[in-house]
Every structure is written in C-alpha cells, then in structure tokens.
Amino acid sequence: TLKELSAKGYVQTMRPGDTGIGFTLESLLNITENNSGEPDFIYNGVPFELKSHRSGASSNITLITKTPYWDPMPQWDMITKYGYPDKKGRQALKVTMKVDEFNSQGLGLKLSDNRLDIVHRSDGVTAYFLIDEVREKVRTKLYENLLLVFADTKRDGEVEFFHFNRATLLRKLSANKFKRLLNDGLMVFEFRMHIRSPDEGKGDHSVRDHGPGFRLSQRHISKLYEYEEEFFP
C-alpha cells in the first residue's frame, strides 16, 4: 500500500529522467504501466487514474496534445506568416498562447461558450478548437478521478531517489474549472512546429509538427476537479 511504501523512506528510481517517478511508483505498487485509457486501480468501487508529482515542482506539463482546425488559415500559412527563423534557419512557430493576451508574434486565445479560437491581433481568427472535444480528450487522458501522489526527491550523483509521503484524491473532472483555468491564464496552449529545410529528411518544405499541446503547471492539476481530499497521511 501507499502507507507501507511511504514508511520505506527514500527509494531509488527505477528509470532515469522525468518519467522515473511515475514508473517507480507504479512498479512498487505492482501496477502495470497503462496507456490504454483504462483506470489504474479501483478504490471503494470507484475507478482512479494514478499520477505522481515531485513536491515543490512548478514546471508545466503537457496535459494533452491536440491539433486545431486549420480554418480559415492553413497550418503552413500560419508558420510562414507569423513564424520566425529558428537557430537552424528554419521558419518556425514555437510559441505559448493565453486567453485574452497576445504574445510577441501577435497570437493569443479567445474563449467562447463552445469554441477556443486562436486569434491574431490584426487578422482575427486563424484556427480553432471545439471546447467539448478538448475537454473530452483531457478526460480520457486524466480520467474522471485521480489519485495524485507526491514525493520528496534527492540525488546521489546522477541517481534520483523518491520518498512518496503524501497523496490526494481528486474526483469529478470539471468542465467549468477547465474553462476557468484557461480564462485565468493558468492553462496555456503551445505551438511547436517548423517548416522542414531542404536537408531535413524529406526536403520538401513540409510542416514538421512536434505536437501542439495544452499545458498546465503540475501544482494546478487539482484545480481541474470538483472535489479534493487527503488520502494519506
């Protein structure tokens, strides 16, 4: 159980890198790594997804990747019109966007009842999402109920160690709170794309898209849910 695991104190990561914390937690709890969309475990008859978090970490994580509807402006046109030369000399558009704010490229987000528009300061709407589709993808990625486990961390040279010492149950993923996080600027959307150079693989000046993503600070994940309660200690 989590309480027994916590009593062990610091345990060595079973996988290097950012994903080590989740893999180590699931391995020690004998939970099979699961990317199928099915819940990780059942608690009191309720299905839960398991997520882990380094205590004190504030970096943004990608909740989901999702491509907008390129209407009225095609993707290639957006990069050529609003992009910039990256370090490799390629025309790129790698920017962060917030609701009701414009970034240095003049791009931002506009939220309505059923749409999230990508807008340019001068040109207006360039592409859009349907809110219900975005929310549904978040739901399938995070699941309706979440057990969020926190760990203190330390390092011995290059090796990371975790002390899993706190857990919070989050229930009922909320559509209204999802939109509120967008409105408050806590959830952002990022483009990560460029036009291929002639010497880059295909050499056909096609778009290389690393996956546009909705991102949120790890410490704000609980704000997506209606109910929060301490699981332990």
Side-chain angles (χ1 to χ4, degrees):
T1 67
L2 280 172
K3 290 183 179 180
E4 291 170 340
L5 175 56
S6 178
K8 293 181 179 180
Y10 281 94
V11 294
Q12 183 174 330
T13 186
M14 296 180 175
R15 175 188 288 173
D18 290 342
T19 61
I21 184 171
F23 180 77
T24 301
L25 177 63
E26 291 182 348
S27 297
L28 292 172
L29 294 177
N30 295 315
I31 295 174
T32 303
E33 196 168 19
N34 174 18
N35 296 309
S36 66
E38 294 297 316
D40 286 322
F41 68 99
I42 306 295
Y43 176 71
N44 286 344
V46 178
F48 277 86
E49 178 77 4
L50 181 68
K51 294 289 182 186
S52 52
H53 174 60
R54 292 171 175 84
S55 297
S58 59
S59 58
N60 281 357
I61 60 171
T62 300
L63 289 180
I64 59 168
T65 57
K66 187 168 179 61
T67 301
Y69 291 97
W70 302 109
D71 181 27
M73 185 174 289
Q75 183 181 26
W76 196 90
D77 291 355
M78 283 197 70
I79 302 173
T80 55
K81 186 167 186 177
Y82 306 130
Y84 54 87
D86 66 10
K87 293 179 180 179
K88 297 183 179 180
R90 306 168 302 192
Q91 187 72 0
L93 190 58
K94 300 174 183 178
V95 293
T96 299
M97 289 162 278
K98 294 183 178 182
V99 168
D100 295 335
E101 291 184 23
F102 292 110
N103 58 29
S104 58
Q105 306 306 115
L107 293 168
L109 303 175
K110 189 71 175 178
L111 183 63
S112 62
D113 287 342
N114 60 352
R115 278 178 48 145
L116 179 66
D117 292 330
I118 298 171
V119 296
H120 185 266
R121 180 187 287 111
S122 302
D123 300 334
V125 176
T126 60
Y128 69 93
F129 297 94
L130 296 178
I131 283 292
D132 285 346
E133 292 180 357
V134 176
R135 191 177 67 245
E136 178 62 16
K137 188 159 187 183
V138 171
R139 191 196 68 79
T140 57
K141 180 72 180 293
L142 286 183
Y143 215 73
E144 191 71 16
N145 306 291
L146 187 69
L147 178 61
L148 190 58
V149 181
F150 297 85
D152 292 334
T153 65
K154 67 178 183 179
R155 286 187 175 274
D156 184 357
E158 295 298 314
V159 181
E160 190 172 19
F161 292 80
F162 307 111
H163 180 203
F164 298 100
N165 53 19
R166 184 166 66 89
T168 300
L169 281 174
L170 305 172
R171 295 184 292 113
K172 197 175 180 183
L173 194 66
S174 167
N176 290 334
K177 291 195 173 188
F178 173 82
K179 294 178 74 172
R180 189 178 306 154
L181 286 170
L182 280 168
N183 261 326
D184 291 346
L186 297 177
M187 187 181 299
V188 300
F189 177 73
E190 293 184 356
F191 276 142
R192 295 170 288 193
M193 55 190 181
H194 65 266
I195 295 175
R196 288 185 173 94
S197 60
D199 59 350
E200 188 182 353
K202 295 183 179 181
D204 57 1
H205 296 285
S206 61
V207 172
R208 174 72 169 93
D209 195 337
H210 294 276
F214 286 87
R215 291 171 62 81
L216 179 70
S217 171
Q218 296 180 67
R219 68 176 182 268
H220 294 314
I221 287 180
S222 63
K223 295 178 181 177
L224 284 166
Y225 291 84
E226 292 283 0
Y227 305 105
E228 177 179 358
E229 62 180 276
E230 287 298 315
F231 186 68
F232 89 91

